[in-house]
Each structure stands twice: as structure tokens, then as C-alpha cells.
């Protein structure tokens, strides 16, 4: 699971925590936080440089991507992105992580890896963020896109997501779908 959220205030992380509880008996889960300067965005290395580093399972910029994200994705059957929607776009850190996957993509096929997302919007636009996940990871990087890959919720103030009517059932269904899609 990749996120760039604050544990104290994040509705997205709160929903994930409940979903994780449902998955843990059946899955090995690795959580990677991409906050507070831990991640440099891709600055557009020439293709040959990206290819050179990618063939070695590396990236020119190193850091958390090479140390944690690349190994986790190599081992994973699925990636879950936590996507708070602040301005109808994936967060800068998640976008940077997706950009930096290009070096790994050069040598590691992603077609057998599913992508799931939890998107929480303050008011609207969650569908826009979900489409960005599809475009970036399924269409561009080749991750497998399962049916009902995304949980979309609307909750503005910190802590309000867990008080949404019917949220427990929706989290159960989302977790069950992940397990069903992965045939765990």
C-alpha cells in the first residue's frame, strides 16, 4: 500500500486501517509512506539513462523508491493506492512515485499485478482521481485493473469518513473484492 497521508488527520488512512484489518488474515501487507521529503520526482532523465538504471533495478534518483517501493512492487500481487482528493488530482507524492516506476517497468512486467485505490474527496471529484489511477497504472504501466478496483467516498473533516452511513459494509465489500480478485 502506498500513501502520502498524515495518520492523525487522514480519512483515507482511517478507511484503509479498517480495510487492512479485513485483509490481514489472508494477505501479507507492506505499507509505504511517501511523506515529508522522502521522495524526489522524476526529472525526465534521457531514455537511455532511465533504461540503463532500470536494467539494474535502480533509478538515478535512488531513495525510498529503490530501497522500499521497487522491492515491494516486485513481490506484490497488488498495489493499493490511498488517494485523498484535495484538488481533483493525485497527490504530488503519489504522482512522483508513479513517474518513478518507469525505471522498474523497463525490466519488471506489471501485468500480473492488480491495482486498487481508496479515494476520499472532501466534496466531489473522486471519479477524476480514480480515472487518473486507471490512466497512470493500468493504461500506462500495464497493471491489471480488477472489477470494482476503487472505493470512492466523500468525507471532508478529519474523522468523518468512519462515521459515514453504511461505511462498514462498503469496507467489507471492498476488502472481499480484493480477496476475490486476487483469489487468496
Amino acid at each position: 500500500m502506498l500513501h502520502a497521508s498524515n495518520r492523525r488527520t487522514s480519512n483515507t488512512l482511517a478507511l484503509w486501517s479498517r480495510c487492512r484489518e479485513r485483509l490481514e488474515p489472508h494477505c501479507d501487507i507492506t505499507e509505504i509512506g511517501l511523506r515529508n521529503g522522502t521522495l524526489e520526482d522524476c526529472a525526465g532523465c534521457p531514455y537511455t539513462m532511465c533504461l540503463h538504471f532500470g536494467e539494474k533495478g535502480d533509478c538515478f534518483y535512488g531513495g525510498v523508491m529503490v530501497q522500499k517501493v521497487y522491492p515491494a512492487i516486485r513481490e506484490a500481487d497488488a498495489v493499493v493506492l490511498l488517494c485523498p482528493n484535495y484538488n481533483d488530482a493525485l497527490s504530488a507524492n503519489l504522482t512522483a512515485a508513479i513517474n518513478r516506476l518507469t525505471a522498474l517497468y523497463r525490466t519488471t512486467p506489471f501485468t500480473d499485478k492488480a491495482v486498487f485505490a481508496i479515494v476520499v474527496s472532501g466534496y466531489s471529484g473522486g471519479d477524476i482521481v480514480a480515472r487518473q489511477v486507471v490512466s497512470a497504472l493500468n493504461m500506462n504501466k500495464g497493471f491489471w485493473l480488477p472489477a470494482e478496483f476503487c472505493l470512492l467516498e466523500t468525507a471532508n473533516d478529519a474523522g468523518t469518513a468512519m462515521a459515514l452511513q453504511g461505511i462498514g459494509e462498503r469496507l467489507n465489500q471492498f476488502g472481499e473484492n480484493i480477496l476475490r480478485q486476487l483469489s487468496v
Side-chain angles (χ1 to χ4, degrees):
M1 184 278 292
L2 294 176
H3 77 92
S5 298
N6 180 319
R7 289 205 182 273
R8 283 186 304 110
T9 60
S10 174
N11 280 309
T12 314
L13 269 170
L15 294 178
W16 164 251
S17 292
R18 290 287 175 89
C19 185
R20 180 183 174 131
E21 291 171 4
R22 290 159 174 79
L23 298 174
E24 280 181 314
H26 310 284
C27 302
D28 293 324
I29 298 171
T30 301
E31 285 188 16
I32 301 173
L34 303 171
R35 283 182 52 87
N36 302 327
T38 60
L39 177 65
E40 270 189 73
D41 198 352
C42 177
C45 291
Y47 171 78
T48 54
M49 182 185 297
C50 188
L51 183 61
H52 169 77
F53 281 95
E55 287 172 346
K56 297 173 192 252
D58 203 349
C59 173
F60 176 79
Y61 300 100
V64 68
M65 287 299 292
V66 173
Q67 296 163 1
K68 293 183 178 180
V69 177
Y70 287 5
I73 288 180
R74 279 188 198 100
E75 295 297 319
D77 295 320
V79 173
V80 178
L81 294 179
L82 301 191
C83 308
N85 175 19
Y86 302 123
N87 294 300
D88 295 339
L90 283 170
S91 72
N93 286 345
L94 287 180
T95 298
I98 292 167
N99 289 342
R100 295 272 306 276
L101 284 178
T102 299
L104 182 62
Y105 180 62
R106 306 247 187 249
T107 59
T108 303
F110 297 149
T111 54
D112 62 341
K113 299 176 187 308
V115 61
F116 295 94
I118 297 175
V119 179
V120 179
S121 296
Y123 297 104
S124 64
D127 59 327
I128 295 168
V129 174
R131 280 187 237 141
Q132 290 170 3
V133 171
V134 171
S135 295
L137 290 176
N138 172 250
M139 303 298 286
N140 188 11
K141 298 287 193 278
F143 280 80
W144 172 60
L145 187 68
E148 299 176 19
F149 81 100
C150 188
L151 176 66
L152 292 169
E153 296 295 337
T154 303
N156 192 21
D157 297 327
T160 59
M162 293 312 302
L164 294 171
Q165 186 173 10
I167 193 62
E169 180 58 29
R170 290 193 299 281
L171 285 167
N172 279 336
Q173 290 172 352
F174 186 66
E176 288 171 15
N177 184 54
I178 289 173
L179 294 173
R180 185 175 48 255
Q181 296 295 339
L182 297 178
S183 299
V184 173

